[in-house]
Amino acid sequence: MADNSKEDFLQLIKRVGAFLTVKLSDLFRRLALQDSRSVGAIAGLAFAVVFTWRVLRTPSGPQRRQPKRQAPAASNSGVNNHESIDASSSGVSNATEDSRTQNVVDEFFQPVKPTLGQIVRQRLSEGRKVTCGLLGVILEESSPEELQQATVRSSVLEVLLEITKICDLYLMERVLDDESEKNILAALESAGIFTSGGLVKDKVLFCSTENGRTSFVRQLEPDWHIDSSPEIITQLARFIKYQIYISPTKLERPASNVFTASTLEQFFGCV
C-alpha cells in the first residue's frame, strides 16, 4: 500500500514538472510587471523547480518481484472480461490523476493581483513629483464659487494616499477669498489626508488667478500634473512631462503626453 502511495506521488510530481515547462515563461512575464518584491516570488519558484528536479532524479527503489501464480484454467470469455475491466479501471485512474494534476497546477499558477500601490507606481512611471488641482479632482465642487463648503470625494482618498507614499505631492487651487482657503484645508484635514499620508499643509497652495496656478506648476516642475481645467492642461502640455486631464469628455486635440480619465481613481483602475 505504501509503495502504491509513493508511486502516485511520484507520478503527480512528474506531471507537475511537465506543466512547469509550459507555464514558466508566462509566469516570469507576469512577475516582470510587479515591483522589486517579486524577487521573493521568483526565488520561491526556483526552489520549487529544484525540488521537483531532485525528486525526479531520486530512484524509486528496487521493485520487489511478485511470485508468479498459476492462474486456474478459464474460458476465453472470462479472460476477455477481466482484461476489459482492467482497461476500464486504468482509464478512470488516469483521468483522475490528470484532473488532480491540472487542479494543482492551476492553483499554483493563479495570476497574482497587484496591489493599489503597485498600480500607482506603475502608472506614474516611477514619477517623483506630482502637482494636482483640487476642484473636480479631489473635491466634489467644480468651481471657486462653490467653495463656501468644501467636500472631499471619499472614493479618491485611497488613491491619493498611495500617491503621497511614493511621490512629493502638491495640491493647488484658485480661490476667491480667505474663507474658501480655510474651508478647503478643514475638509482635507477632516478626511485624514494630513495625518494618514505624506501631505502637509504647506504643500497646499492657493492663488487668485488661473495664470497663478499655471505658474505654480511650472515653477515646481513636476513629472505629472493632474487637473480638470482644459485651458491649464493645454497650456502646460509643452512644459510638463505627463498630465492627467480629469473630465468625462476628452480634449479635441490632446497632446501625446496628456491622458484623460473621468476620475482620478478611474485612471488607476479602481472603478
Side-chain angles (χ1 to χ4, degrees):
M1 186 70 177
D3 289 341
N4 290 338
S5 298
K6 185 176 182 180
E7 284 297 324
D8 289 343
F9 176 73
L10 290 176
Q11 288 297 326
L12 180 60
I13 291 297
K14 289 179 181 180
R15 292 174 184 273
V16 172
F19 275 93
L20 281 174
T21 303
V22 178
K23 297 286 187 175
L24 193 57
S25 60
D26 180 65
L27 180 63
F28 274 106
R29 180 180 63 79
R30 292 178 183 274
L31 291 176
L33 298 177
Q34 309 303 321
D35 59 12
S36 59
R37 284 175 287 183
S38 297
V39 173
I42 296 176
L45 176 62
F47 174 80
V49 172
V50 172
F51 173 77
T52 303
W53 176 73
R54 294 193 62 178
V55 169
L56 292 177
R57 289 184 69 249
T58 303
S60 59
Q63 298 293 327
R64 291 184 298 177
R65 301 180 64 180
Q66 299 293 334
K68 294 183 178 180
R69 295 181 180 178
Q70 295 294 333
S75 64
N76 290 337
S77 61
V79 173
N80 291 337
N81 289 337
H82 182 70
E83 291 176 351
S84 299
I85 293 174
D86 287 345
S88 175
S89 300
S90 176
V92 172
S93 177
N94 289 337
T96 303
E97 289 179 2
D98 289 342
S99 176
R100 182 174 57 180
T101 302
Q102 185 64 54
N103 290 338
V104 171
V105 173
D106 288 345
E107 182 177 354
F108 184 79
F109 286 101
Q110 198 69 239
V112 179
K113 184 178 181 180
T115 64
L116 178 59
Q118 291 171 332
I119 295 173
V120 170
R121 188 184 302 274
Q122 181 182 355
R123 293 302 309 267
L124 293 181
S125 304
E126 303 295 333
R128 293 304 179 191
K129 184 182 290 186
V130 176
T131 55
C132 180
L134 286 163
L135 289 172
V137 180
I138 296 172
L139 300 179
E140 296 281 1
E141 293 74 24
S142 57
S143 68
E145 291 75 16
E146 300 177 49
L147 289 175
Q148 291 82 8
Q149 181 178 355
T151 306
V152 175
R153 298 176 57 249
S154 59
S155 58
V156 81
L157 278 177
E158 190 175 3
V159 170
L160 195 65
L161 294 178
E162 289 296 336
I163 293 176
T164 62
K165 292 178 183 178
I166 62 175
C167 298
D168 190 14
L169 177 65
Y170 291 82
L171 303 180
M172 55 190 63
E173 194 49 67
R174 177 173 74 92
V175 294
L176 301 180
D177 49 41
D178 293 342
E179 190 66 26
S180 297
E181 291 186 23
K182 294 179 182 179
N183 292 339
I184 290 175
L185 291 174
L188 294 174
E189 186 169 16
S190 177
I193 291 177
F194 298 129
T195 56
S196 302
L199 188 68
V200 295
K201 291 184 179 180
D202 291 341
K203 292 183 179 180
V204 183
L205 310 176
F206 299 100
C207 57
S208 58
T209 64
E210 293 291 81
N211 287 336
R213 188 144 60 99
T214 302
S215 178
F216 279 157
V217 177
R218 292 191 60 180
Q219 290 177 23
L220 289 169
E221 298 182 340
D223 300 298
W224 288 80
H225 177 64
I226 307 166
D227 214 297
S228 61
S229 168
E231 291 81 10
I232 290 181
I233 289 288
T234 302
Q235 292 174 16
L236 291 174
R238 294 183 298 154
F239 307 103
I240 306 303
K241 188 175 182 180
Y242 300 111
Q243 292 192 92
I244 306 174
Y245 174 50
I246 303 300
S247 172
T249 59
K250 294 184 178 182
L251 295 172
E252 290 186 5
R253 296 179 181 177
S256 60
N257 61 340
V258 175
F259 302 89
T260 301
S262 57
T263 63
L264 187 59
E265 53 270 34
Q266 187 268 333
F267 177 76
F268 292 104
C270 297
V271 292

